[in-house]
Amino acid sequence: MTDERTFDLAVVGAGPGGYVASIRAAQLGMRVALIERDRLGGICLNWGCIPTKALLQSSHLLSLLRRAEEFGIHAENLRGDFGIAVKRSREKAERLSKGIEHLLRKNKVSVFMGEARFTSAKELEIADSGGKTNGSIRAERILLATGSRPRLLPDVTMDGQVVLTSTEAMLRSQAPASMVIIGGGAIGVEFADIYHAYGTAVTLVELLPTILPYEDEEITALLRRSLTKKGIKILTETRVEQVIVEAGKATVRVSNHGVSQELLGETVLVAVGRVANSEVGGLKELGVAMENGCVTVNEWMESSVAGIYAIGDLVGAPLLAHKASHEGIVAVEKMAKLDDVTPVDPRRIPSCTYCHPAVASIGLTEAKAKAEGYTIRVGRFPFSASGMAITLGETEGMVKVIADATHGEILGVHIMGAHATELIAEAGLAIALEATPEEIAKSIHAHPTLSEAMGEAALAALGREIHL
């Protein structure tokens, strides 16, 4: 094999985990190969994070314009065009994909398009979409960042027209008259918000008791009330029994504690989670340990086979782009033997749901903190008492700070409200620095800003709230 095909590191998958790991490795002096079978940026940039946020921005603007008279603006003949919103979302995704191509070229990462297959623990064969081999590459270490795909329901045929995955849901030329969304979580909730804004009658069906199962119960209850107030129908603790498609429409049979009903929809979106893309050719034959379809790794993201690493959705929950990126950085920095590398701490990974109002969190929920034996202090500050939220006309939600009553350390922060996904960054820094509510309260927050709510919630945890 020629030197042009020999590398220090080969990364399989160019999503937010793979391309970030590739760039960081190149910065550290490694010779890097990056293999991608579809588009640079992976699912997140092309079919997930970026295009859905573009659609959410369009839907939020449309919803806001419907309230234009509150702000002294007369908007007549207002009409939403879902097809144009979709076109815009694709343009944004394409722009960012080209940006990643530039970054990889700038950092001298060698990109190979095709499907990777292990022929040994240090060698990968690359094939095109037709299965034809385009040669092999050799690398001292191989990092897998193959991501995930939508989880399907058994006995439900995904036709892409009536019964959709999230991919088809973001490519439609127009919004349907009605939609049944099977599954809550971030994907289900965000699409419910998008389609409702464009006039679709949405019913959201969730098997578990809450629509955002991993979020704080109090925050999730607030979100449910907000979405219901908008007109989105929500059914929790409801099981889907059957999906029947006839004459271009669907009937979804569901049951709730033994009581059955039929939901009618022009379309059905299946949003019941994602499955790791662990079917990398030759991986099983190498004896890489796996559990529940995910690669088992140590704290440095190395698998049971020395020199083979895995990150992101491939190693399990939480399935978040920023988690994948951070894991990739940790893995390659450890490979480079940097002194200050620290493993990824799950409690320092923020979670975001970009509906309107948005939800964001980091650390322990109130219930989890109690279950772990902490004596806690809880501080809450509603956006209805925030001067900036009032001026924006977005007063729903609150900031909730959970702190250890014994040592003062902040254990978790949970936000529902305008720009929650931006505000959570302060909480992330606070938890990373093991800060206390006292320290947040002493930090001077500009006025008027939404971030003042963080300071007020910290004061509330100390029993010293000012504006309540």
Side-chain angles (χ1 to χ4, degrees):
M1 186 177 295
T2 64
D3 287 343
E4 288 75 20
R5 292 268 178 163
T6 302
F7 298 89
D8 299 309
L9 174 67
V11 179
V12 181
Y19 85 76
V20 168
S22 299
I23 291 172
R24 183 63 182 129
Q27 290 174 347
L28 292 168
M30 298 184 201
R31 191 169 183 217
V32 184
L34 177 60
I35 306 162
E36 171 57 47
R37 66 183 179 183
D38 189 9
R39 300 184 184 188
L40 297 178
I43 293 296
C44 172
L45 191 152
N46 292 286
W47 305 110
C49 312
I50 297 302
T52 55
K53 302 315 164 277
L55 288 173
L56 280 160
Q57 176 65 9
S58 294
S59 68
H60 182 50
L61 181 57
L62 181 57
S63 298
L64 193 59
L65 285 171
R66 291 189 175 119
R67 299 168 50 203
E69 289 194 5
E70 292 179 29
F71 301 88
I73 301 168
H74 297 285
E76 298 178 356
N77 301 317
L78 186 65
R79 182 175 63 88
D81 190 320
F82 191 72
I84 292 177
V86 167
K87 182 176 181 291
R88 176 180 181 272
S89 76
R90 301 314 310 157
E91 289 171 350
K92 303 310 176 188
E94 183 65 27
R95 174 181 173 180
L96 287 173
S97 183
K98 289 180 178 178
I100 291 172
E101 182 180 353
H102 165 73
L103 290 173
L104 294 169
R105 188 167 53 249
K106 173 186 172 184
N107 286 277
K108 297 180 172 57
V109 175
S110 298
V111 177
F112 297 85
M113 301 306 296
E115 185 97 18
R117 181 184 183 280
F118 282 95
T119 53
S120 76
K122 295 183 183 294
E123 193 167 2
L124 293 167
E125 185 179 79
I126 304 173
D128 62 20
S129 58
K132 182 181 178 181
T133 301
N134 288 332
S136 299
I137 64 170
R138 184 173 180 82
E140 189 62 27
R141 296 181 179 90
I142 296 172
L143 186 150
L144 301 175
T146 52
S148 63
R149 61 187 182 275
R151 184 184 297 278
L152 306 181
L153 286 173
D155 303 320
V156 175
T157 301
M158 311 296 296
D159 60 14
Q161 299 297 320
V162 178
V163 185
L164 319 171
T165 68
S166 55
T167 301
E168 292 92 28
M170 69 179 72
L171 291 175
R172 293 180 62 90
S173 59
Q174 60 183 26
S178 57
M179 173 180 281
V180 178
I181 299 178
I182 302 173
I187 297 173
V189 168
E190 288 177 7
F191 274 107
D193 197 20
I194 291 168
Y195 275 104
H196 174 265
Y198 280 89
T200 302
V202 176
T203 302
L204 181 63
V205 180
E206 170 56 50
L207 179 63
L208 298 176
T210 65
I211 55 174
L212 294 177
Y214 300 107
E215 298 291 349
D216 186 85
E217 291 181 11
E218 183 178 12
I219 293 293
T220 307
L222 285 176
L223 178 65
R224 178 171 184 164
R225 284 202 293 271
S226 176
L227 296 179
T228 300
K229 183 180 176 181
K230 283 184 179 183
I232 296 171
K233 184 178 181 181
I234 297 173
L235 303 175
T236 52
E237 297 183 273
T238 301
R239 179 181 299 276
V240 174
E241 304 288 356
Q242 191 177 19
V243 177
I244 303 169
V245 177
E246 291 179 340
K249 293 187 179 181
T251 300
V252 182
R253 292 176 179 169
V254 300
S255 64
N256 178 285
H257 298 289
V259 178
S260 299
Q261 65 173 305
E262 292 187 346
L263 307 174
L264 304 179
E266 188 175 305
T267 54
V268 174
L269 169 60
V270 177
V272 292
R274 300 185 65 82
V275 180
N277 291 324
S278 57
E279 303 85 359
V280 180
L283 185 63
K284 183 178 180 181
E285 288 75 7
L286 290 173
V288 172
M290 302 185 71
E291 184 177 354
N292 298 324
C294 295
V295 175
T296 303
V297 293
N298 64 17
E299 61 182 347
W300 307 116
M301 315 314 296
E302 189 169 17
S303 75
S304 60
V305 175
I308 297 179
Y309 298 73
I311 61 172
D313 293 2
L314 185 57
V315 301
L319 309 186
L320 300 168
H322 45 277
K323 173 237 188 191
S325 297
H326 200 74
E327 287 174 341
I329 291 171
V330 166
V332 298
E333 289 186 346
K334 187 64 176 177
M335 294 175 200
K337 300 181 180 179
L338 298 191
D339 293 332
D340 59 348
V341 188
T342 56
V344 176
D345 183 348
R347 294 188 179 183
R348 295 182 181 180
I349 302 172
S351 176
C352 299
T353 302
Y354 296 81
C355 54
H356 295 96
V359 172
S361 65
I362 191 166
L364 299 178
T365 64
E366 183 177 352
K368 185 67 172 175
K370 290 177 180 177
E372 292 191 10
Y374 287 100
T375 301
I376 62 173
R377 291 178 175 176
V378 180
R380 301 173 179 84
F381 189 78
F383 282 112
S384 59
S386 161
M388 179 55 82
I390 290 170
T391 64
L392 293 175
E394 301 196 35
T395 56
E396 289 185 287
M398 69 174 176
V399 176
K400 179 177 181 179
V401 173
I402 300 165
D404 179 2
T406 304
H407 302 290
E409 181 182 350
I410 294 172
L411 302 173
V413 176
H414 306 269
I415 309 173
M416 188 199 94
H419 303 289
T421 55
E422 302 294 332
L423 296 173
I424 201 64
E426 179 180 353
L429 182 60
I431 287 179
L433 296 176
E434 299 181 350
T436 65
E438 186 78 39
E439 289 167 321
I440 287 186
K442 286 181 177 178
S443 175
I444 300 174
H445 295 78
H447 175 77
T449 61
L450 293 173
S451 67
E452 288 177 287
M454 185 74 73
E456 288 279 1
L459 283 170
L462 299 169
R464 291 164 30 200
E465 58 268 36
I466 298 295
H467 291 97
L468 280 179

mmCIF file of all heavy atoms in Angstrom, residues 360-378:
data_model
loop_
_atom_site.group_PDB
_atom_site.id
_atom_site.type_symbol
_atom_site.label_atom_id
_atom_site.label_comp_id
_atom_site.label_asym_id
_atom_site.label_seq_id
_atom_site.Cartn_x
_atom_site.Cartn_y
_atom_site.Cartn_z
ATOM 1 N N ALA A 360 -34.589 23.541 27.635
ATOM 2 C CA ALA A 360 -33.174 23.197 27.714
ATOM 3 C C ALA A 360 -32.838 22.830 29.147
ATOM 4 O O ALA A 360 -33.430 23.354 30.095
ATOM 5 C CB ALA A 360 -32.304 24.356 27.237
ATOM 6 N N SER A 361 -31.884 21.924 29.302
ATOM 7 C CA SER A 361 -31.533 21.480 30.650
ATOM 8 C C SER A 361 -30.116 20.961 30.696
ATOM 9 O O SER A 361 -29.518 20.620 29.667
ATOM 10 C CB SER A 361 -32.493 20.375 31.104
ATOM 11 O OG SER A 361 -32.336 19.220 30.298
ATOM 12 N N ILE A 362 -29.592 20.900 31.906
ATOM 13 C CA ILE A 362 -28.295 20.277 32.141
ATOM 14 C C ILE A 362 -28.264 19.788 33.587
ATOM 15 O O ILE A 362 -28.841 20.425 34.476
ATOM 16 C CB ILE A 362 -27.129 21.252 31.854
ATOM 17 C CG1 ILE A 362 -25.794 20.503 31.837
ATOM 18 C CG2 ILE A 362 -27.121 22.411 32.819
ATOM 19 C CD1 ILE A 362 -24.665 21.298 31.249
ATOM 20 N N GLY A 363 -27.641 18.638 33.798
ATOM 21 C CA GLY A 363 -27.530 18.105 35.144
ATOM 22 C C GLY A 363 -28.741 17.302 35.572
ATOM 23 O O GLY A 363 -29.500 16.794 34.745
ATOM 24 N N LEU A 364 -28.928 17.201 36.883
ATOM 25 C CA LEU A 364 -29.973 16.358 37.449
ATOM 26 C C LEU A 364 -31.329 17.048 37.453
ATOM 27 O O LEU A 364 -31.427 18.255 37.681
ATOM 28 C CB LEU A 364 -29.614 15.977 38.889
ATOM 29 C CG LEU A 364 -28.318 15.181 39.109
ATOM 30 C CD1 LEU A 364 -28.106 14.936 40.598
ATOM 31 C CD2 LEU A 364 -28.346 13.870 38.349
ATOM 32 N N THR A 365 -32.375 16.258 37.205
ATOM 33 C CA THR A 365 -33.737 16.743 37.425
ATOM 34 C C THR A 365 -33.997 16.757 38.923
ATOM 35 O O THR A 365 -33.246 16.182 39.720
ATOM 36 C CB THR A 365 -34.768 15.841 36.747
ATOM 37 O OG1 THR A 365 -34.712 14.537 37.365
ATOM 38 C CG2 THR A 365 -34.499 15.701 35.253
ATOM 39 N N GLU A 366 -35.074 17.388 39.322
ATOM 40 C CA GLU A 366 -35.434 17.411 40.744
ATOM 41 C C GLU A 366 -35.656 16.001 41.266
ATOM 42 O O GLU A 366 -35.161 15.628 42.340
ATOM 43 C CB GLU A 366 -36.677 18.275 40.963
ATOM 44 C CG GLU A 366 -37.069 18.412 42.414
ATOM 45 C CD GLU A 366 -38.261 19.344 42.628
ATOM 46 O OE1 GLU A 366 -38.684 20.008 41.663
ATOM 47 O OE2 GLU A 366 -38.746 19.406 43.775
ATOM 48 N N ALA A 367 -36.388 15.186 40.495
ATOM 49 C CA ALA A 367 -36.671 13.814 40.928
ATOM 50 C C ALA A 367 -35.389 12.993 41.026
ATOM 51 O O ALA A 367 -35.205 12.213 41.971
ATOM 52 C CB ALA A 367 -37.658 13.157 39.960
ATOM 53 N N LYS A 368 -34.493 13.153 40.059
ATOM 54 C CA LYS A 368 -33.244 12.383 40.059
ATOM 55 C C LYS A 368 -32.355 12.798 41.223
ATOM 56 O O LYS A 368 -31.718 11.951 41.872
ATOM 57 C CB LYS A 368 -32.517 12.602 38.735
ATOM 58 C CG LYS A 368 -31.264 11.764 38.556
ATOM 59 C CD LYS A 368 -31.566 10.295 38.433
ATOM 60 C CE LYS A 368 -30.316 9.506 38.067
ATOM 61 N NZ LYS A 368 -30.546 8.056 38.048
ATOM 62 N N ALA A 369 -32.289 14.079 41.523
ATOM 63 C CA ALA A 369 -31.475 14.560 42.644
ATOM 64 C C ALA A 369 -31.971 13.969 43.959
ATOM 65 O O ALA A 369 -31.168 13.530 44.802
ATOM 66 C CB ALA A 369 -31.498 16.084 42.694
ATOM 67 N N LYS A 370 -33.282 13.939 44.135
ATOM 68 C CA LYS A 370 -33.845 13.353 45.349
ATOM 69 C C LYS A 370 -33.578 11.862 45.416
ATOM 70 O O LYS A 370 -33.240 11.314 46.470
ATOM 71 C CB LYS A 370 -35.348 13.636 45.417
ATOM 72 C CG LYS A 370 -35.696 15.093 45.670
ATOM 73 C CD LYS A 370 -37.202 15.305 45.643
ATOM 74 C CE LYS A 370 -37.559 16.771 45.908
ATOM 75 N NZ LYS A 370 -39.027 17.011 45.809
ATOM 76 N N ALA A 371 -33.709 11.180 44.255
ATOM 77 C CA ALA A 371 -33.484 9.740 44.206
ATOM 78 C C ALA A 371 -32.036 9.385 44.552
ATOM 79 O O ALA A 371 -31.767 8.310 45.100
ATOM 80 C CB ALA A 371 -33.842 9.197 42.829
ATOM 81 N N GLU A 372 -31.121 10.283 44.241
ATOM 82 C CA GLU A 372 -29.710 10.043 44.538
ATOM 83 C C GLU A 372 -29.335 10.446 45.961
ATOM 84 O O GLU A 372 -28.166 10.365 46.345
ATOM 85 C CB GLU A 372 -28.825 10.764 43.524
ATOM 86 C CG GLU A 372 -28.922 10.175 42.121
ATOM 87 C CD GLU A 372 -27.861 10.695 41.183
ATOM 88 O OE1 GLU A 372 -26.921 11.371 41.655
ATOM 89 O OE2 GLU A 372 -27.958 10.416 39.972
ATOM 90 N N GLY A 373 -30.325 10.879 46.733
ATOM 91 C CA GLY A 373 -30.094 11.137 48.149
ATOM 92 C C GLY A 373 -29.691 12.548 48.510
ATOM 93 O O GLY A 373 -29.350 12.827 49.670
ATOM 94 N N TYR A 374 -29.741 13.457 47.560
ATOM 95 C CA TYR A 374 -29.377 14.846 47.862
ATOM 96 C C TYR A 374 -30.498 15.539 48.640
ATOM 97 O O TYR A 374 -31.687 15.305 48.401
ATOM 98 C CB TYR A 374 -29.136 15.634 46.578
ATOM 99 C CG TYR A 374 -27.860 15.298 45.856
ATOM 100 C CD1 TYR A 374 -27.881 14.450 44.754
ATOM 101 C CD2 TYR A 374 -26.642 15.839 46.264
ATOM 102 C CE1 TYR A 374 -26.702 14.147 44.065
ATOM 103 C CE2 TYR A 374 -25.468 15.542 45.587
ATOM 104 C CZ TYR A 374 -25.509 14.694 44.495
ATOM 105 O OH TYR A 374 -24.352 14.400 43.818
ATOM 106 N N THR A 375 -30.104 16.384 49.571
ATOM 107 C CA THR A 375 -31.018 17.355 50.149
ATOM 108 C C THR A 375 -30.862 18.607 49.295
ATOM 109 O O THR A 375 -29.746 19.125 49.144
ATOM 110 C CB THR A 375 -30.659 17.670 51.613
ATOM 111 O OG1 THR A 375 -30.709 16.467 52.372
ATOM 112 C CG2 THR A 375 -31.623 18.691 52.202
ATOM 113 N N ILE A 376 -31.956 19.058 48.711
ATOM 114 C CA ILE A 376 -31.824 20.091 47.678
ATOM 115 C C ILE A 376 -32.530 21.389 48.027
ATOM 116 O O ILE A 376 -33.453 21.423 48.862
ATOM 117 C CB ILE A 376 -32.357 19.584 46.318
ATOM 118 C CG1 ILE A 376 -33.857 19.245 46.407
ATOM 119 C CG2 ILE A 376 -31.547 18.395 45.829
ATOM 120 C CD1 ILE A 376 -34.480 18.906 45.062
ATOM 121 N N ARG A 377 -32.059 22.433 47.391
ATOM 122 C CA ARG A 377 -32.748 23.718 47.359
ATOM 123 C C ARG A 377 -33.154 23.961 45.917
ATOM 124 O O ARG A 377 -32.365 23.707 45.004
ATOM 125 C CB ARG A 377 -31.826 24.844 47.816
ATOM 126 C CG ARG A 377 -31.464 24.829 49.280
ATOM 127 C CD ARG A 377 -30.517 25.974 49.586
ATOM 128 N NE ARG A 377 -30.223 26.076 51.001
ATOM 129 C CZ ARG A 377 -29.362 26.937 51.529
ATOM 130 N NH1 ARG A 377 -28.719 27.791 50.721
ATOM 131 N NH2 ARG A 377 -29.147 26.980 52.825
ATOM 132 N N VAL A 378 -34.357 24.444 45.718
ATOM 133 C CA VAL A 378 -34.845 24.707 44.366
ATOM 134 C C VAL A 378 -35.232 26.169 44.247
ATOM 135 O O VAL A 378 -35.989 26.692 45.075
ATOM 136 C CB VAL A 378 -36.054 23.806 44.020
ATOM 137 C CG1 VAL A 378 -36.549 24.103 42.609
ATOM 138 C CG2 VAL A 378 -35.688 22.325 44.153
#
